[in-house]
Structures are given as C-alpha cells and as structure tokens.
Amino acid sequence: MYTYFTTLHIQTAVSQALCGREKGDSGMKHVLSVFVENQTGVLVRVVSMFSRREFNIDSLSVGVTERPEYSRITVVVQGDENLIEQMIKQLEKMPVVQAVQRLDEKNAVCRGMTLIKVRSDDTNRLDVLKMAELFRAHVVDVESSTLVFEITGSDDKVTAFLKLVKPYGIAEVIRTGLIALERGEHTIYEHCEEREYYGKNLL
C-alpha cells in the first residue's frame, strides 16, 4: 500500500535535506562577476585562462548587459582565499575584462534555474506536488507518467529538492549557471576603471 505523506512529514524531510548537505562545500565556493567587452571569442579566452591554470569551475553563465557592447560572466569556482585572489588578478590582467566583482550570499542576490523531470503517476502525484509547493517549484509540464518542475534559488535549495524527489524517480535534470547581482545601490560599474563614464550612463 502506498503511504501518503502529510505536510508535516514533508516539512520535516525538507529540513533534514537542507541540514544534511555536505559541510564545508559552501565555504569553498566563490562567485565572481566578470564584466567583459561583448566580442567574439571573449568567453573562450576567459575559460582558457581558467583551464591553463587548472582552476576548478563549478558553473558558468554569460549574458549581455543593459549595455549591449558589454557582457557579464558569472563564474562559481572552488578554492582557498589565495587561489581566488590569484584568479581575480589574472582576470584583471586581460584587456577585454573591464571589472571583476566578488560576490557572496550575504551581499548579493544569487539565483540559478533548474528543470527537473520527475516520474509521477496517480499513486504519488499528490505527494510530489506537495513537496514542490514547499520549495516553490513550478509545474511547467504534465504528462501521464511525468511532471516537469522549474525551480529557482541557491544550489542548496535545488539539491535538497532533488534529494526529496529522487525516490520517485528523476528522469532528467538540467541546470543553468548561477547568476548574481550585488544588493543595494552599489553596482559592478564602481569596479570599472572608467567609473565616471559608466556612472553617467546607467539606465
């Protein structure tokens, strides 16, 4: 007989999943926002620099900014303090890099998006939907044997949700790289060499 979970059971499982993540991992991860000229081959040059120096990249995302001639690359990397400082210095030496901003969850809004296809039928669909509701995961596709969820947030949040729905069967998962913006009135333009120029042209 299939066991239906109450909201309390699911909330307890959520708490355990969040507390059960590996300790120490989050302390080794760093978010760098790299402001670059929007030119062909820039991403290849930046990634090649990481590769040559054997820097470990967890995720990478790139997109055009409010000024189409510039792009922002958000990189999540692992390493100790000395390694991160070395990484920033190497990036700042590149002519196409206008600024490098170091961010964390305390001073920045950090988000990533994940699409998760979970195997689900009439016997367990209600339980899966309850879990998704607690994580604010949105249903974006429904079929007779699967549900596709869209969830945004930190890696810890996504990992906890994946851990809970894993027993039902995860068919597919795809994640975007993390993106981040500093909280408050400060912007990456303050890190640019031509601060006055960028400050006058903020949208």
Side-chain angles (χ1 to χ4, degrees), residues 76-187:
V76 180
V77 293
Q78 291 191 22
D80 58 26
E81 192 66 26
N82 291 333
L83 186 63
I84 299 304
E85 290 298 328
Q86 179 186 354
M87 195 178 301
I88 293 173
K89 289 179 181 178
Q90 292 297 326
L91 285 168
E92 290 176 337
K93 289 180 181 179
M94 302 180 69
V96 294
V97 174
Q98 299 298 308
V100 181
Q101 186 180 28
R102 186 172 177 178
L103 301 170
D104 59 44
E105 292 184 355
K106 293 181 180 179
N107 69 359
V109 178
C110 303
R111 293 289 185 273
M113 188 187 78
T114 303
L115 293 177
I116 307 166
K117 184 182 292 185
V118 181
R119 302 194 186 283
S120 175
D121 54 32
D122 293 339
T123 65
N124 61 18
R125 182 157 295 170
L126 181 60
D127 292 331
V128 176
L129 290 173
K130 284 182 179 179
M131 292 181 184
E133 183 179 357
L134 289 173
F135 280 85
R136 297 183 180 178
H138 302 289
V139 179
V140 293
D141 184 72
V142 179
E143 296 293 340
S144 60
S145 60
T146 60
L147 292 169
V148 177
F149 295 101
E150 173 190 314
I151 181 171
T152 60
S154 66
D155 284 343
D156 288 341
K157 175 184 176 181
V158 174
T159 300
F161 182 63
L162 287 170
K163 183 177 180 180
L164 287 181
V165 298
K166 184 177 180 180
Y168 298 97
I170 297 175
E172 289 182 291
V173 175
I174 185 168
R175 294 190 182 195
T176 65
L178 194 73
I179 56 175
L181 282 178
E182 185 175 6
R183 297 180 186 274
E185 62 182 7
H186 298 293
T187 70

